[in-house]
Amino acid sequence: SGHRYTLVDAANRVKSDAFDHEALAAALAEQTKTGVSADGMHLSSLRFDPHAGTMEFRAHMKSWRFSIPTNELEVLSVNPLTDPSLLISPDGAQAAFFRDNNIWVRNLESGEEKQLTHDGSELFPYGTVPKATATRAVKPEALWSPDSTRLFTQQTDDRQVLDLPVMDFAPADGSVRPVIRHYRQAIPGDEHVTRFRMTAIDVATGKVVEARYPWVEAARMNDTPFGGNRAWWDDDSKRAWFVDIERGERAVHLVEFDTSTGQTRKVMSETTDRGYLELGSNVYTPTALHVIPEHDEIIWYSERSGWAHFYLYDLNTGQLKRTLTKGDWLVRDLIGYDAGSRNLFFSYAEKEKGKNPYYRHIARVNVGSGRTQQLSSSDADHFVINSGDFSALLLTMTQGLDMNELGGLSRTGNYYVETIQRSDGPTRTVLRDKDGEE
């Protein structure tokens, strides 16, 4: 009849409703003057503050704060933490946002705003997705440096991409006559495709430093290097990296970017003369790559052996340090990495004969030692949500959730939430510890 929000105390093994559903539904119904049922509430951008005993969320086009002990509900006029259009800095003091095809920053304490870029235009804007996606980026496609002093972003160039008219036979206004819609969309054989000018912006001075590297061409499904998990900062807030996938997807380059000088260096490259170079199990979702800045390493996804596996590379030399997984089976998704234990959690498939090859199973590999341990497996699909899974993409589209905040692995790496599912029976969702014990 609907759904419930559940809070699970992993350490004490206690499960309960996250809040009083009936009380919140009644409060929402009273304040919005709409019918709200306890099992029919759709709350997005949900955040809990266990110390204050409150939760904040978005519903009915507004931001709210609900006191769990007192069942009091208040509307928040401006709340940066739940404003999906703001990219908040790591120190929580500033937020980047769009205005007139440029990137601005706002001081979250004083409200003062500052324009960082000035040459953005309709077909050459900063921090946005290509026109071919027929969507708009909610918040800037960018990354704050760890010290909150710089922004790493791209300027999206659609100026030479040709128009691709399409016919809308059912206009939204209900009219009968079809309407022609225009999109900038490159197709195979076109001379020009969408390109990304990789840049770093000093927030204090507004100085824009362009990477001295050929502009990166859009590949995969026209995602950006930032939305596609192909751009990162180093922990020194000076170096950054991005991945350049050449048009045709037969060559991929990992590029180091000195954000102070603009100098770049190809750290490593991978090429193929057969098929395409894939960086994850799904081209619609972010890549299955992961940078470990504190060790100057990157976990790299590759199908070079004929099977999808993970490899560990040195970010300074570009040399292979260790083959993390190998064999006649394939890794599916990168679930998460725990910096404390150096464990990489992942799903895999096609390892055991007699089982459905599409069923996923869960394992971990220690990046330092290369030791692999199977955690959970049976004659069923074992699913741990992660940003590389297509269902995570659907959640961002249908419920307004941030893909970067969706994860079945706890931040400590001590627990993961797993759903065990088959087509011929009901699903079962369990909590496991880092060793796979339920």
Side-chain angles (χ1 to χ4, degrees), residues 336-347:
Y337 172 77
D338 174 35
S341 65
R342 298 267 282 161
N343 283 325
L344 170 70
F345 293 79
F346 63 95
S347 60

PDB file of all heavy atoms in Angstrom, residues 336-347:
ATOM      1  N   GLY A 336      32.323   0.249  -3.356  1.00  0.00           N
ATOM      2  CA  GLY A 336      32.909   1.260  -2.499  1.00  0.00           C
ATOM      3  C   GLY A 336      34.296   0.878  -2.054  1.00  0.00           C
ATOM      4  O   GLY A 336      34.717  -0.286  -2.156  1.00  0.00           O
ATOM      5  N   TYR A 337      35.020   1.871  -1.546  1.00  0.00           N
ATOM      6  CA  TYR A 337      36.380   1.673  -1.074  1.00  0.00           C
ATOM      7  C   TYR A 337      36.495   2.200   0.348  1.00  0.00           C
ATOM      8  O   TYR A 337      36.033   3.310   0.652  1.00  0.00           O
ATOM      9  CB  TYR A 337      37.374   2.396  -1.986  1.00  0.00           C
ATOM     10  CG  TYR A 337      38.793   2.410  -1.457  1.00  0.00           C
ATOM     11  CD1 TYR A 337      39.595   1.283  -1.540  1.00  0.00           C
ATOM     12  CD2 TYR A 337      39.323   3.565  -0.880  1.00  0.00           C
ATOM     13  CE1 TYR A 337      40.904   1.288  -1.058  1.00  0.00           C
ATOM     14  CE2 TYR A 337      40.626   3.583  -0.390  1.00  0.00           C
ATOM     15  CZ  TYR A 337      41.411   2.444  -0.491  1.00  0.00           C
ATOM     16  OH  TYR A 337      42.689   2.456  -0.008  1.00  0.00           O
ATOM     17  N   ASP A 338      37.075   1.412   1.239  1.00  0.00           N
ATOM     18  CA  ASP A 338      37.285   1.811   2.631  1.00  0.00           C
ATOM     19  C   ASP A 338      38.759   2.162   2.809  1.00  0.00           C
ATOM     20  O   ASP A 338      39.628   1.285   2.752  1.00  0.00           O
ATOM     21  CB  ASP A 338      36.876   0.688   3.579  1.00  0.00           C
ATOM     22  CG  ASP A 338      37.208   1.007   5.026  1.00  0.00           C
ATOM     23  OD1 ASP A 338      37.099   2.194   5.391  1.00  0.00           O
ATOM     24  OD2 ASP A 338      37.582   0.089   5.778  1.00  0.00           O
ATOM     25  N   ALA A 339      39.047   3.448   3.020  1.00  0.00           N
ATOM     26  CA  ALA A 339      40.428   3.912   3.118  1.00  0.00           C
ATOM     27  C   ALA A 339      41.134   3.336   4.337  1.00  0.00           C
ATOM     28  O   ALA A 339      42.352   3.094   4.305  1.00  0.00           O
ATOM     29  CB  ALA A 339      40.462   5.437   3.162  1.00  0.00           C
ATOM     30  N   GLY A 340      40.400   3.110   5.438  1.00  0.00           N
ATOM     31  CA  GLY A 340      41.024   2.608   6.655  1.00  0.00           C
ATOM     32  C   GLY A 340      41.592   1.210   6.501  1.00  0.00           C
ATOM     33  O   GLY A 340      42.734   0.940   6.871  1.00  0.00           O
ATOM     34  N   SER A 341      40.808   0.317   5.921  1.00  0.00           N
ATOM     35  CA  SER A 341      41.245  -1.079   5.762  1.00  0.00           C
ATOM     36  C   SER A 341      41.868  -1.346   4.404  1.00  0.00           C
ATOM     37  O   SER A 341      42.424  -2.417   4.180  1.00  0.00           O
ATOM     38  CB  SER A 341      40.054  -2.012   5.956  1.00  0.00           C
ATOM     39  OG  SER A 341      39.094  -1.810   4.910  1.00  0.00           O
ATOM     40  N   ARG A 342      41.760  -0.391   3.468  1.00  0.00           N
ATOM     41  CA  ARG A 342      42.241  -0.540   2.093  1.00  0.00           C
ATOM     42  C   ARG A 342      41.487  -1.650   1.361  1.00  0.00           C
ATOM     43  O   ARG A 342      42.002  -2.287   0.434  1.00  0.00           O
ATOM     44  CB  ARG A 342      43.741  -0.844   2.052  1.00  0.00           C
ATOM     45  CG  ARG A 342      44.630   0.240   2.641  1.00  0.00           C
ATOM     46  CD  ARG A 342      45.105   1.209   1.586  1.00  0.00           C
ATOM     47  NE  ARG A 342      46.190   0.657   0.795  1.00  0.00           N
ATOM     48  CZ  ARG A 342      46.546   1.134  -0.398  1.00  0.00           C
ATOM     49  NH1 ARG A 342      45.849   2.120  -0.939  1.00  0.00           N
ATOM     50  NH2 ARG A 342      47.552   0.616  -1.062  1.00  0.00           N
ATOM     51  N   ASN A 343      40.220  -1.866   1.743  1.00  0.00           N
ATOM     52  CA  ASN A 343      39.405  -2.873   1.091  1.00  0.00           C
ATOM     53  C   ASN A 343      38.530  -2.247   0.012  1.00  0.00           C
ATOM     54  O   ASN A 343      37.878  -1.223   0.238  1.00  0.00           O
ATOM     55  CB  ASN A 343      38.506  -3.592   2.098  1.00  0.00           C
ATOM     56  CG  ASN A 343      39.266  -4.611   2.917  1.00  0.00           C
ATOM     57  OD1 ASN A 343      40.183  -5.262   2.420  1.00  0.00           O
ATOM     58  ND2 ASN A 343      38.902  -4.758   4.181  1.00  0.00           N
ATOM     59  N   LEU A 344      38.512  -2.865  -1.151  1.00  0.00           N
ATOM     60  CA  LEU A 344      37.632  -2.489  -2.248  1.00  0.00           C
ATOM     61  C   LEU A 344      36.496  -3.501  -2.305  1.00  0.00           C
ATOM     62  O   LEU A 344      36.731  -4.703  -2.460  1.00  0.00           O
ATOM     63  CB  LEU A 344      38.395  -2.483  -3.569  1.00  0.00           C
ATOM     64  CG  LEU A 344      37.550  -2.345  -4.845  1.00  0.00           C
ATOM     65  CD1 LEU A 344      36.968  -0.946  -4.930  1.00  0.00           C
ATOM     66  CD2 LEU A 344      38.373  -2.665  -6.079  1.00  0.00           C
ATOM     67  N   PHE A 345      35.255  -3.023  -2.157  1.00  0.00           N
ATOM     68  CA  PHE A 345      34.079  -3.891  -2.233  1.00  0.00           C
ATOM     69  C   PHE A 345      33.514  -3.828  -3.645  1.00  0.00           C
ATOM     70  O   PHE A 345      33.378  -2.741  -4.223  1.00  0.00           O
ATOM     71  CB  PHE A 345      33.028  -3.449  -1.216  1.00  0.00           C
ATOM     72  CG  PHE A 345      33.449  -3.638   0.226  1.00  0.00           C
ATOM     73  CD1 PHE A 345      34.301  -2.725   0.840  1.00  0.00           C
ATOM     74  CD2 PHE A 345      32.992  -4.722   0.956  1.00  0.00           C
ATOM     75  CE1 PHE A 345      34.695  -2.889   2.159  1.00  0.00           C
ATOM     76  CE2 PHE A 345      33.378  -4.901   2.275  1.00  0.00           C
ATOM     77  CZ  PHE A 345      34.242  -3.984   2.880  1.00  0.00           C
ATOM     78  N   PHE A 346      33.148  -4.986  -4.194  1.00  0.00           N
ATOM     79  CA  PHE A 346      32.659  -5.013  -5.565  1.00  0.00           C
ATOM     80  C   PHE A 346      31.696  -6.175  -5.753  1.00  0.00           C
ATOM     81  O   PHE A 346      31.642  -7.109  -4.945  1.00  0.00           O
ATOM     82  CB  PHE A 346      33.815  -5.118  -6.560  1.00  0.00           C
ATOM     83  CG  PHE A 346      34.623  -6.382  -6.458  1.00  0.00           C
ATOM     84  CD1 PHE A 346      34.340  -7.480  -7.269  1.00  0.00           C
ATOM     85  CD2 PHE A 346      35.677  -6.486  -5.564  1.00  0.00           C
ATOM     86  CE1 PHE A 346      35.072  -8.655  -7.181  1.00  0.00           C
ATOM     87  CE2 PHE A 346      36.426  -7.657  -5.477  1.00  0.00           C
ATOM     88  CZ  PHE A 346      36.124  -8.742  -6.275  1.00  0.00           C
ATOM     89  N   SER A 347      30.929  -6.106  -6.833  1.00  0.00           N
ATOM     90  CA  SER A 347      30.074  -7.235  -7.221  1.00  0.00           C
ATOM     91  C   SER A 347      30.716  -7.929  -8.421  1.00  0.00           C
ATOM     92  O   SER A 347      31.448  -7.306  -9.196  1.00  0.00           O
ATOM     93  CB  SER A 347      28.659  -6.762  -7.553  1.00  0.00           C
ATOM     94  OG  SER A 347      28.667  -5.844  -8.626  1.00  0.00           O
TER      95      SER A 347
END
